[in-house]
């Protein structure tokens, strides 16, 4: 059996962590926006106080830092589908223009390790609910 591509493994790891946080997750989902259909790496849904939320994750398993243009494209997708939050994951980091483009938006630029470090209490709580 052929080995899974590195990018697909990265998407699965992101999905697995969001699942641990209590989200319903779907990998490689096509979501219809107001203007077009978009292929989403990981869609994460939850409901808080009766309000449904949609977070979308773009997973870049690249050897180079993510440029500004990718953040701007991702921002357009988030707006078109009406997502509540966009998460752009990259283990190689982000160019300065990408960081600037994400400021004051609903986009979080992070690595998987960095994202995991921000949620230890939430992961413990979600695991306790499962038990």
């Amino acid at each position: 059996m052929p080995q899974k591509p590195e990018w697909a493994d990265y998407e699965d790891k992101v999905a697995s962590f969001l699942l641990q946080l209590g989200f319903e997750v779907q990998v490689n989902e096509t979501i219809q926006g107001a203007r077009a259909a978009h292929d989403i790496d990981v869609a994460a849904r939850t409901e808080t106080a009766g309000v449904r939320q949609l977070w979308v994750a773009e997973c870049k398993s690249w050897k180079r830092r993510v440029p500004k243009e990718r953040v701007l494209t991702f921002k357009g997708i988030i707006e078109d589908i009406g997502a509540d939050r966009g998460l752009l994951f990259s283990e190689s980091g982000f160019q300065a223009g990408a960081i600037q483009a994400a400021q004051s938006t609903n986009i979080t630029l992070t690595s998987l390790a960095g994202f995991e470090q921000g949620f230890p209490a939430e992961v413990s709580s979600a695991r306790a609910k499962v038990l």
Side-chain angles (χ1 to χ4, degrees), residues 13-128:
K13 287 177 182 175
V14 168
S16 177
F17 185 71
L18 290 168
L19 189 64
Q20 289 179 50
L21 290 177
F23 285 90
E24 300 166 18
V25 298
Q26 178 68 43
V27 177
N28 295 315
E29 180 177 349
T30 300
I31 298 177
Q32 181 62 49
R35 292 172 290 285
H38 303 279
D39 294 327
I40 304 300
D41 290 346
V42 180
R45 293 174 175 83
T46 191
E47 187 172 321
T48 304
V51 177
R52 294 284 295 161
Q53 291 186 40
L54 170 63
W55 289 14
V56 295
E58 181 86 6
C59 306
K60 299 299 181 196
S61 181
W62 294 352
K63 302 296 182 215
R64 63 188 195 293
R65 295 182 300 154
V66 175
K68 172 180 72 174
E69 293 77 21
R70 290 313 236 165
V71 174
L72 295 174
T73 299
F74 188 48
K75 182 176 182 286
I77 292 169
I78 291 166
E79 290 171 355
D80 190 47
I81 65 175
D84 298 289
R85 167 121 335 251
L87 305 168
L88 187 50
F89 288 90
S90 170
E91 299 307 308
S92 296
F94 302 89
Q95 293 179 3
I99 294 167
Q100 188 175 18
Q103 289 177 346
S104 301
T105 70
N106 60 341
I107 297 172
T108 300
L109 306 180
T110 188
S111 65
L112 183 55
F115 193 69
E116 288 174 337
Q117 288 175 359
F119 290 96
E122 287 85 350
V123 171
S124 296
S125 175
R127 286 181 180 156

